[in-house]
Amino acid sequence: MINIVLHEPEMPANTGNIGRTCVATGVRLHLIGPLGFQINDKMLKRAGLDYWDKLDVTEYDDYKDFLAKNPGAKVYMATTKAHKTYTEVNYEEDCYIMFGKESAGIPEEILVDNEDTCIRIPMIGDIRSLNLSNSVAIVLYEALRQHNFSHMNCEGHLHRLNWKE
């Protein structure tokens, strides 16, 4: 199972959207504190709609707590400061993909110790970053694609009509 990690997320709406994406893709969400909101925040629930109770989510006091409870975890660090893009790595089945808080990203103190697993989403110009929930979806779906969407529905059906064959 792939894991999404949010390091000190600040905006409940982003975390709610990410939670909904995690439920839709069958991945686990890890929240590293301190959080910029309370888990019972109505914006969090609104963004996650009625999916929050189906979410596999684990909370940690801080980054050290996360490392202690996930020893040996392969963690990819999504950052605009990385040398390689998110498509240049092979995501292991049980890897973790970490994203930083909206205002500052993952602290550089963490990044310098993990340079070989830092990844970025290409952008043009001086755009500082993409929206956090969009970034999670982009990288997560690449990791899932690499695993052939193995546990997901890859075919849809019309509600009232049938597809022409």
Side-chain angles (χ1 to χ4, degrees), residues 24 62 89:
D62 53 32
V89 300

Side-chain angles (χ1 to χ4, degrees), residues 20-96:
R20 184 175 181 173
T21 299
C22 288
V23 171
T25 56
V27 305
R28 188 173 292 131
L29 179 61
H30 302 262
L31 301 175
I32 298 175
L35 307 181
F37 51 87
Q38 295 180 1
I39 288 296
N40 63 2
D41 190 304
K42 70 178 181 177
M43 291 297 292
L44 174 74
K45 302 288 185 171
R46 183 184 308 158
L49 296 174
D50 57 347
Y51 297 101
W52 197 258
D53 63 327
K54 296 171 180 65
L55 179 62
D56 183 355
V57 61
T58 305
E59 292 181 64
Y60 304 91
D61 294 333
D62 53 32
Y63 182 65
K64 288 181 183 179
D65 185 32
F66 168 78
L67 291 177
K69 292 178 177 166
N70 298 284
K74 177 71 175 223
V75 183
Y76 293 97
M77 308 273 176
T79 173
T80 58
K81 300 155 186 78
H83 304 298
K84 59 187 164 193
T85 68
Y86 72 101
T87 59
E88 294 179 70
V89 300
N90 294 315
Y91 298 95
E92 297 84 351
E93 184 66 35
D94 59 347
C95 71
Y96 294 72

Side-chain angles (χ1 to χ4, degrees), residues 3-15:
N3 298 272
I4 293 298
V5 182
L6 303 182
H7 184 272
E8 300 180 5
E10 299 166 316
M11 299 178 177
N14 280 335
T15 301

Side-chain angles (χ1 to χ4, degrees), residues 97-114:
I97 307 170
M98 181 183 290
F99 297 82
K101 63 182 166 185
E102 291 88 342
S103 65
I106 299 170
E108 290 188 1
E109 292 76 14
I110 294 173
L111 296 177
V112 296
D113 291 336
N114 298 282

